[in-house]
Amino acid sequence: MHNAIRRYGGILLALAILAPLAGDQKVVLNYPKQHAVVDWTSGYATVEGYAPLSKNPGASAIRKAQAAALASARQNVVALAGAIVPIAGDNQRRKAMDASVRQLAGKLKAVSQKRLPNDRYQVTLRVPLLGKNGLSGVLSPHLRRKSPFVPAKKLAIASRDLPSTTGEEDLLTKADATGPFTGLIVDARGFGVQNSMSPVVYDPANKPLYSGSFADADYVEDVGVVGYMGSIKAAMATPRVGKNPLVLRAAGTPDQFKRCVSLT
């Protein structure tokens, strides 16, 4: 199958990774520190911001609280981007990415705002994840084309490490299948894989088989490198993988941050 991935690498632009969620068709991730919820299935994130408000505020005090809560929500969008795409040891690239996300956040309008009973004001933003005006389009210029590989202490590729049955084994691509394949689905359930804007698929020797660097820049901005789903059936129903995707079971996650997958 590795040869199939290399052969069809030019069209394997629609990668879907199955997150470790049992019986859930959606992938919704919570970021409590950023007051954000990311729904990879819908392609949107909701981000909240808060500001203090006195018990008996006047119109002017309410307007100030609204502005402060909106500013807080926009700052949380920047923080969310940093959580999704962590950059360590490169302050210049970190600052450049933050500036780009800050511009995006500055254009977002509140989808809801309300006074809370605990003397606070809340503003909620809806952030698109895909498209040129979404996080993927803003972050793609700042993603490394060749991300540094930090190996895990233990590479989980032994059969004993494979997760229990999922009930969808019949949907895995047969070993003798020849394609052509229109997309790639990797079942990584059971390995604690974390979401990433640009994950890498490795072979057992830690050589990259697929990454965001294979994808056209416009495609990355409009569609994104990867989508996260809760089941093979849900992944196969998405347009991003086409009508005949290559469906494989992951053998493990080779990097210490658990953002990539390995195949046997």
Side-chain angles (χ1 to χ4, degrees):
M1 287 301 177
H2 297 167
N3 290 333
I5 294 177
R6 292 190 179 98
R7 182 186 306 170
Y8 299 104
I11 60 172
L12 287 179
L13 304 179
L15 172 64
I17 293 181
L18 305 190
L21 299 179
D24 195 347
Q25 299 298 310
K26 296 183 179 181
V27 175
V28 180
L29 302 175
N30 292 299
Y31 292 81
K33 292 183 179 180
Q34 295 77 22
H35 300 288
V37 176
V38 176
D39 187 342
W40 289 95
T41 307
S42 69
Y44 286 92
T46 55
V47 183
E48 297 172 348
Y50 300 89
L53 186 65
S54 60
K55 290 185 178 181
N56 298 300
S60 177
I62 292 178
R63 287 195 296 270
K64 289 182 179 179
Q66 289 175 337
L70 178 59
S72 172
R74 287 172 173 169
Q75 184 56 41
N76 285 337
V77 173
V78 178
L80 173 63
I84 294 177
V85 183
I87 296 178
D90 192 339
N91 290 333
Q92 184 175 0
R93 190 159 66 99
R94 170 87 271 165
K95 291 180 180 179
M97 191 183 83
D98 287 349
S100 297
V101 178
R102 196 170 289 112
Q103 286 185 345
L104 167 67
K107 299 177 182 178
L108 298 174
K109 305 297 182 182
V111 294
S112 70
Q113 49 187 329
K114 59 184 178 181
R115 181 181 176 181
L116 301 177
N118 57 351
D119 298 329
R120 291 198 302 170
Y121 201 88
Q122 174 186 299
V123 167
T124 302
L125 302 177
R126 191 166 188 253
V127 187
L129 298 175
L130 305 176
K132 293 183 179 180
N133 295 321
L135 272 183
S136 62
V138 172
L139 295 177
S140 61
H142 304 284
L143 297 176
R144 289 187 185 276
R145 280 311 183 188
K146 292 185 178 180
S147 302
F149 179 76
V150 182
K153 293 181 180 179
K154 178 177 180 295
L155 179 60
I157 59 174
S159 59
R160 58 183 171 81
D161 291 320
L162 291 175
S164 57
T165 59
T166 63
E168 294 188 307
E169 284 73 19
D170 59 323
L171 298 179
L172 297 172
T173 300
K174 306 303 181 183
D176 58 354
T178 58
F181 302 111
T182 57
L184 173 62
I185 298 174
V186 178
D187 187 348
R189 288 173 289 185
F191 293 112
V193 173
Q194 303 297 308
N195 66 294
S196 171
M197 296 290 286
S198 186
V200 181
V201 179
Y202 291 94
D203 68 9
N206 289 341
K207 294 181 180 179
L209 295 170
Y210 178 84
S211 71
S213 62
F214 296 173
D216 178 78
D218 290 336
Y219 185 93
V220 173
E221 291 182 353
D222 294 338
V223 181
V225 174
V226 62
Y228 291 89
M229 304 299 292
S231 68
I232 294 178
K233 289 182 179 179
M236 295 181 75
T238 61
R240 69 180 303 119
V241 298
K243 295 183 178 180
N244 188 37
L246 179 62
V247 185
L248 304 175
R249 176 73 68 84
T253 175
D255 67 301
Q256 65 178 7
F257 302 109
K258 294 188 176 183
R259 297 182 184 276
C260 304
V261 294
S262 293
L263 303 176
T264 55

PDB file of all heavy atoms in Angstrom, residues 216-243:
ATOM      1  N   ASP A 216      -1.662  21.098  -3.173  1.00  0.00           N
ATOM      2  CA  ASP A 216      -1.621  22.411  -3.791  1.00  0.00           C
ATOM      3  C   ASP A 216      -1.998  23.473  -2.765  1.00  0.00           C
ATOM      4  O   ASP A 216      -2.908  23.283  -1.946  1.00  0.00           O
ATOM      5  CB  ASP A 216      -2.606  22.444  -4.964  1.00  0.00           C
ATOM      6  CG  ASP A 216      -2.660  23.803  -5.625  1.00  0.00           C
ATOM      7  OD1 ASP A 216      -1.744  24.126  -6.393  1.00  0.00           O
ATOM      8  OD2 ASP A 216      -3.634  24.540  -5.360  1.00  0.00           O
ATOM      9  N   ALA A 217      -1.286  24.615  -2.792  1.00  0.00           N
ATOM     10  CA  ALA A 217      -1.507  25.664  -1.787  1.00  0.00           C
ATOM     11  C   ALA A 217      -2.949  26.163  -1.796  1.00  0.00           C
ATOM     12  O   ALA A 217      -3.541  26.406  -0.736  1.00  0.00           O
ATOM     13  CB  ALA A 217      -0.545  26.820  -2.021  1.00  0.00           C
ATOM     14  N   ASP A 218      -3.539  26.322  -2.978  1.00  0.00           N
ATOM     15  CA  ASP A 218      -4.930  26.779  -3.057  1.00  0.00           C
ATOM     16  C   ASP A 218      -5.878  25.747  -2.456  1.00  0.00           C
ATOM     17  O   ASP A 218      -6.871  26.096  -1.815  1.00  0.00           O
ATOM     18  CB  ASP A 218      -5.321  27.054  -4.514  1.00  0.00           C
ATOM     19  CG  ASP A 218      -4.613  28.275  -5.077  1.00  0.00           C
ATOM     20  OD1 ASP A 218      -4.208  29.143  -4.275  1.00  0.00           O
ATOM     21  OD2 ASP A 218      -4.459  28.361  -6.309  1.00  0.00           O
ATOM     22  N   TYR A 219      -5.552  24.464  -2.675  1.00  0.00           N
ATOM     23  CA  TYR A 219      -6.385  23.407  -2.112  1.00  0.00           C
ATOM     24  C   TYR A 219      -6.324  23.448  -0.590  1.00  0.00           C
ATOM     25  O   TYR A 219      -7.343  23.296   0.088  1.00  0.00           O
ATOM     26  CB  TYR A 219      -5.909  22.047  -2.617  1.00  0.00           C
ATOM     27  CG  TYR A 219      -6.789  20.890  -2.186  1.00  0.00           C
ATOM     28  CD1 TYR A 219      -7.814  20.438  -2.996  1.00  0.00           C
ATOM     29  CD2 TYR A 219      -6.593  20.276  -0.947  1.00  0.00           C
ATOM     30  CE1 TYR A 219      -8.632  19.388  -2.603  1.00  0.00           C
ATOM     31  CE2 TYR A 219      -7.411  19.235  -0.545  1.00  0.00           C
ATOM     32  CZ  TYR A 219      -8.422  18.790  -1.373  1.00  0.00           C
ATOM     33  OH  TYR A 219      -9.230  17.767  -0.971  1.00  0.00           O
ATOM     34  N   VAL A 220      -5.131  23.656  -0.049  1.00  0.00           N
ATOM     35  CA  VAL A 220      -4.973  23.715   1.397  1.00  0.00           C
ATOM     36  C   VAL A 220      -5.807  24.843   1.985  1.00  0.00           C
ATOM     37  O   VAL A 220      -6.467  24.701   3.008  1.00  0.00           O
ATOM     38  CB  VAL A 220      -3.487  23.895   1.779  1.00  0.00           C
ATOM     39  CG1 VAL A 220      -3.340  24.129   3.276  1.00  0.00           C
ATOM     40  CG2 VAL A 220      -2.682  22.678   1.355  1.00  0.00           C
ATOM     41  N   GLU A 221      -5.801  26.002   1.310  1.00  0.00           N
ATOM     42  CA  GLU A 221      -6.552  27.142   1.813  1.00  0.00           C
ATOM     43  C   GLU A 221      -8.054  26.907   1.746  1.00  0.00           C
ATOM     44  O   GLU A 221      -8.794  27.257   2.665  1.00  0.00           O
ATOM     45  CB  GLU A 221      -6.188  28.398   1.008  1.00  0.00           C
ATOM     46  CG  GLU A 221      -4.768  28.893   1.253  1.00  0.00           C
ATOM     47  CD  GLU A 221      -4.469  30.155   0.482  1.00  0.00           C
ATOM     48  OE1 GLU A 221      -5.327  30.552  -0.339  1.00  0.00           O
ATOM     49  OE2 GLU A 221      -3.397  30.740   0.682  1.00  0.00           O
ATOM     50  N   ASP A 222      -8.509  26.314   0.645  1.00  0.00           N
ATOM     51  CA  ASP A 222      -9.945  26.162   0.427  1.00  0.00           C
ATOM     52  C   ASP A 222     -10.546  24.969   1.156  1.00  0.00           C
ATOM     53  O   ASP A 222     -11.675  25.023   1.645  1.00  0.00           O
ATOM     54  CB  ASP A 222     -10.243  26.040  -1.071  1.00  0.00           C
ATOM     55  CG  ASP A 222      -9.930  27.319  -1.824  1.00  0.00           C
ATOM     56  OD1 ASP A 222      -9.901  28.384  -1.180  1.00  0.00           O
ATOM     57  OD2 ASP A 222      -9.703  27.255  -3.045  1.00  0.00           O
ATOM     58  N   VAL A 223      -9.813  23.862   1.201  1.00  0.00           N
ATOM     59  CA  VAL A 223     -10.354  22.618   1.729  1.00  0.00           C
ATOM     60  C   VAL A 223      -9.643  22.173   3.004  1.00  0.00           C
ATOM     61  O   VAL A 223     -10.237  21.593   3.897  1.00  0.00           O
ATOM     62  CB  VAL A 223     -10.285  21.489   0.665  1.00  0.00           C
ATOM     63  CG1 VAL A 223     -10.876  20.191   1.191  1.00  0.00           C
ATOM     64  CG2 VAL A 223     -11.023  21.915  -0.599  1.00  0.00           C
ATOM     65  N   GLY A 224      -8.355  22.466   3.099  1.00  0.00           N
ATOM     66  CA  GLY A 224      -7.573  22.000   4.235  1.00  0.00           C
ATOM     67  C   GLY A 224      -6.891  20.685   3.920  1.00  0.00           C
ATOM     68  O   GLY A 224      -7.326  19.914   3.060  1.00  0.00           O
ATOM     69  N   VAL A 225      -5.795  20.408   4.609  1.00  0.00           N
ATOM     70  CA  VAL A 225      -5.030  19.189   4.366  1.00  0.00           C
ATOM     71  C   VAL A 225      -5.759  17.965   4.907  1.00  0.00           C
ATOM     72  O   VAL A 225      -5.703  16.890   4.331  1.00  0.00           O
ATOM     73  CB  VAL A 225      -3.633  19.304   5.014  1.00  0.00           C
ATOM     74  CG1 VAL A 225      -2.872  17.985   4.908  1.00  0.00           C
ATOM     75  CG2 VAL A 225      -2.838  20.412   4.343  1.00  0.00           C
ATOM     76  N   VAL A 226      -6.468  18.140   6.008  1.00  0.00           N
ATOM     77  CA  VAL A 226      -7.028  16.984   6.702  1.00  0.00           C
ATOM     78  C   VAL A 226      -8.407  17.309   7.252  1.00  0.00           C
ATOM     79  O   VAL A 226      -8.733  18.459   7.532  1.00  0.00           O
ATOM     80  CB  VAL A 226      -6.079  16.549   7.854  1.00  0.00           C
ATOM     81  CG1 VAL A 226      -5.939  17.668   8.869  1.00  0.00           C
ATOM     82  CG2 VAL A 226      -6.552  15.272   8.525  1.00  0.00           C
ATOM     83  N   GLY A 227      -9.205  16.264   7.362  1.00  0.00           N
ATOM     84  CA  GLY A 227     -10.485  16.367   8.050  1.00  0.00           C
ATOM     85  C   GLY A 227     -10.534  15.281   9.105  1.00  0.00           C
ATOM     86  O   GLY A 227      -9.920  14.217   8.941  1.00  0.00           O
ATOM     87  N   TYR A 228     -11.224  15.517  10.203  1.00  0.00           N
ATOM     88  CA  TYR A 228     -11.310  14.547  11.290  1.00  0.00           C
ATOM     89  C   TYR A 228     -12.745  14.080  11.447  1.00  0.00           C
ATOM     90  O   TYR A 228     -13.656  14.896  11.578  1.00  0.00           O
ATOM     91  CB  TYR A 228     -10.810  15.163  12.601  1.00  0.00           C
ATOM     92  CG  TYR A 228      -9.323  15.417  12.604  1.00  0.00           C
ATOM     93  CD1 TYR A 228      -8.808  16.617  12.135  1.00  0.00           C
ATOM     94  CD2 TYR A 228      -8.438  14.445  13.059  1.00  0.00           C
ATOM     95  CE1 TYR A 228      -7.439  16.851  12.123  1.00  0.00           C
ATOM     96  CE2 TYR A 228      -7.078  14.664  13.046  1.00  0.00           C
ATOM     97  CZ  TYR A 228      -6.582  15.875  12.580  1.00  0.00           C
ATOM     98  OH  TYR A 228      -5.225  16.090  12.558  1.00  0.00           O
ATOM     99  N   MET A 229     -12.928  12.746  11.440  1.00  0.00           N
ATOM    100  CA  MET A 229     -14.250  12.160  11.572  1.00  0.00           C
ATOM    101  C   MET A 229     -14.217  11.081  12.644  1.00  0.00           C
ATOM    102  O   MET A 229     -13.146  10.679  13.111  1.00  0.00           O
ATOM    103  CB  MET A 229     -14.708  11.564  10.234  1.00  0.00           C
ATOM    104  CG  MET A 229     -14.699  12.546   9.067  1.00  0.00           C
ATOM    105  SD  MET A 229     -15.793  13.953   9.297  1.00  0.00           S
ATOM    106  CE  MET A 229     -17.389  13.156   9.234  1.00  0.00           C
ATOM    107  N   GLY A 230     -15.382  10.599  13.026  1.00  0.00           N
ATOM    108  CA  GLY A 230     -15.477   9.609  14.085  1.00  0.00           C
ATOM    109  C   GLY A 230     -15.632   8.172  13.612  1.00  0.00           C
ATOM    110  O   GLY A 230     -15.558   7.251  14.424  1.00  0.00           O
ATOM    111  N   SER A 231     -15.859   7.960  12.322  1.00  0.00           N
ATOM    112  CA  SER A 231     -16.021   6.598  11.810  1.00  0.00           C
ATOM    113  C   SER A 231     -15.635   6.573  10.341  1.00  0.00           C
ATOM    114  O   SER A 231     -15.586   7.602   9.676  1.00  0.00           O
ATOM    115  CB  SER A 231     -17.468   6.124  11.972  1.00  0.00           C
ATOM    116  OG  SER A 231     -18.328   6.857  11.111  1.00  0.00           O
ATOM    117  N   ILE A 232     -15.349   5.362   9.840  1.00  0.00           N
ATOM    118  CA  ILE A 232     -15.001   5.215   8.429  1.00  0.00           C
ATOM    119  C   ILE A 232     -16.195   5.595   7.553  1.00  0.00           C
ATOM    120  O   ILE A 232     -16.039   6.265   6.536  1.00  0.00           O
ATOM    121  CB  ILE A 232     -14.540   3.779   8.124  1.00  0.00           C
ATOM    122  CG1 ILE A 232     -13.223   3.483   8.849  1.00  0.00           C
ATOM    123  CG2 ILE A 232     -14.361   3.570   6.622  1.00  0.00           C
ATOM    124  CD1 ILE A 232     -12.709   2.065   8.647  1.00  0.00           C
ATOM    125  N   LYS A 233     -17.394   5.180   7.956  1.00  0.00           N
ATOM    126  CA  LYS A 233     -18.581   5.504   7.168  1.00  0.00           C
ATOM    127  C   LYS A 233     -18.769   7.013   7.059  1.00  0.00           C
ATOM    128  O   LYS A 233     -19.105   7.534   5.995  1.00  0.00           O
ATOM    129  CB  LYS A 233     -19.816   4.848   7.788  1.00  0.00           C
ATOM    130  CG  LYS A 233     -19.867   3.328   7.624  1.00  0.00           C
ATOM    131  CD  LYS A 233     -21.142   2.756   8.219  1.00  0.00           C
ATOM    132  CE  LYS A 233     -21.203   1.244   8.035  1.00  0.00           C
ATOM    133  NZ  LYS A 233     -22.427   0.670   8.643  1.00  0.00           N
ATOM    134  N   ALA A 234     -18.570   7.705   8.166  1.00  0.00           N
ATOM    135  CA  ALA A 234     -18.715   9.161   8.144  1.00  0.00           C
ATOM    136  C   ALA A 234     -17.655   9.796   7.254  1.00  0.00           C
ATOM    137  O   ALA A 234     -17.929  10.737   6.512  1.00  0.00           O
ATOM    138  CB  ALA A 234     -18.618   9.723   9.560  1.00  0.00           C
ATOM    139  N   ALA A 235     -16.437   9.260   7.301  1.00  0.00           N
ATOM    140  CA  ALA A 235     -15.360   9.809   6.474  1.00  0.00           C
ATOM    141  C   ALA A 235     -15.624   9.564   4.988  1.00  0.00           C
ATOM    142  O   ALA A 235     -15.389  10.432   4.147  1.00  0.00           O
ATOM    143  CB  ALA A 235     -14.025   9.189   6.873  1.00  0.00           C
ATOM    144  N   MET A 236     -16.138   8.383   4.657  1.00  0.00           N
ATOM    145  CA  MET A 236     -16.406   8.053   3.258  1.00  0.00           C
ATOM    146  C   MET A 236     -17.551   8.881   2.689  1.00  0.00           C
ATOM    147  O   MET A 236     -17.665   9.030   1.473  1.00  0.00           O
ATOM    148  CB  MET A 236     -16.710   6.557   3.121  1.00  0.00           C
ATOM    149  CG  MET A 236     -15.541   5.655   3.467  1.00  0.00           C
ATOM    150  SD  MET A 236     -15.892   3.888   3.274  1.00  0.00           S
ATOM    151  CE  MET A 236     -15.860   3.729   1.489  1.00  0.00           C
ATOM    152  N   ALA A 237     -18.383   9.447   3.553  1.00  0.00           N
ATOM    153  CA  ALA A 237     -19.519  10.253   3.095  1.00  0.00           C
ATOM    154  C   ALA A 237     -19.127  11.686   2.785  1.00  0.00           C
ATOM    155  O   ALA A 237     -19.936  12.433   2.232  1.00  0.00           O
ATOM    156  CB  ALA A 237     -20.625  10.235   4.139  1.00  0.00           C
ATOM    157  N   THR A 238     -17.900  12.077   3.112  1.00  0.00           N
ATOM    158  CA  THR A 238     -17.470  13.449   2.867  1.00  0.00           C
ATOM    159  C   THR A 238     -16.910  13.579   1.459  1.00  0.00           C
ATOM    160  O   THR A 238     -16.210  12.686   0.981  1.00  0.00           O
ATOM    161  CB  THR A 238     -16.408  13.885   3.879  1.00  0.00           C
ATOM    162  OG1 THR A 238     -15.252  13.041   3.753  1.00  0.00           O
ATOM    163  CG2 THR A 238     -16.942  13.788   5.294  1.00  0.00           C
ATOM    164  N   PRO A 239     -17.176  14.684   0.772  1.00  0.00           N
ATOM    165  CA  PRO A 239     -16.680  14.869  -0.604  1.00  0.00           C
ATOM    166  C   PRO A 239     -15.166  14.901  -0.698  1.00  0.00           C
ATOM    167  O   PRO A 239     -14.609  14.598  -1.754  1.00  0.00           O
ATOM    168  CB  PRO A 239     -17.280  16.225  -1.009  1.00  0.00           C
ATOM    169  CG  PRO A 239     -18.427  16.445  -0.083  1.00  0.00           C
ATOM    170  CD  PRO A 239     -18.048  15.798   1.204  1.00  0.00           C
ATOM    171  N   ARG A 240     -14.471  15.248   0.394  1.00  0.00           N
ATOM    172  CA  ARG A 240     -13.029  15.451   0.331  1.00  0.00           C
ATOM    173  C   ARG A 240     -12.261  14.180  -0.052  1.00  0.00           C
ATOM    174  O   ARG A 240     -11.147  14.268  -0.580  1.00  0.00           O
ATOM    175  CB  ARG A 240     -12.509  16.001   1.663  1.00  0.00           C
ATOM    176  CG  ARG A 240     -12.546  15.049   2.809  1.00  0.00           C
ATOM    177  CD  ARG A 240     -12.016  15.687   4.107  1.00  0.00           C
ATOM    178  NE  ARG A 240     -10.674  16.194   3.951  1.00  0.00           N
ATOM    179  CZ  ARG A 240     -10.314  17.470   4.102  1.00  0.00           C
ATOM    180  NH1 ARG A 240     -11.209  18.362   4.432  1.00  0.00           N
ATOM    181  NH2 ARG A 240      -9.068  17.847   3.945  1.00  0.00           N
ATOM    182  N   VAL A 241     -12.800  12.973   0.209  1.00  0.00           N
ATOM    183  CA  VAL A 241     -12.054  11.755  -0.086  1.00  0.00           C
ATOM    184  C   VAL A 241     -12.458  11.119  -1.415  1.00  0.00           C
ATOM    185  O   VAL A 241     -11.872  10.107  -1.820  1.00  0.00           O
ATOM    186  CB  VAL A 241     -12.200  10.718   1.046  1.00  0.00           C
ATOM    187  CG1 VAL A 241     -11.625  11.259   2.336  1.00  0.00           C
ATOM    188  CG2 VAL A 241     -13.649  10.303   1.222  1.00  0.00           C
ATOM    189  N   GLY A 242     -13.462  11.667  -2.101  1.00  0.00           N
ATOM    190  CA  GLY A 242     -13.844  11.133  -3.398  1.00  0.00           C
ATOM    191  C   GLY A 242     -14.637   9.835  -3.290  1.00  0.00           C
ATOM    192  O   GLY A 242     -15.038   9.399  -2.211  1.00  0.00           O
ATOM    193  N   LYS A 243     -14.823   9.204  -4.434  1.00  0.00           N
ATOM    194  CA  LYS A 243     -15.679   8.007  -4.503  1.00  0.00           C
ATOM    195  C   LYS A 243     -14.932   6.714  -4.209  1.00  0.00           C
ATOM    196  O   LYS A 243     -15.560   5.691  -3.925  1.00  0.00           O
ATOM    197  CB  LYS A 243     -16.335   7.919  -5.882  1.00  0.00           C
ATOM    198  CG  LYS A 243     -17.304   9.068  -6.181  1.00  0.00           C
ATOM    199  CD  LYS A 243     -17.968   8.891  -7.530  1.00  0.00           C
ATOM    200  CE  LYS A 243     -18.968  10.008  -7.812  1.00  0.00           C
ATOM    201  NZ  LYS A 243     -19.625   9.848  -9.126  1.00  0.00           N
TER     202      LYS A 243
END
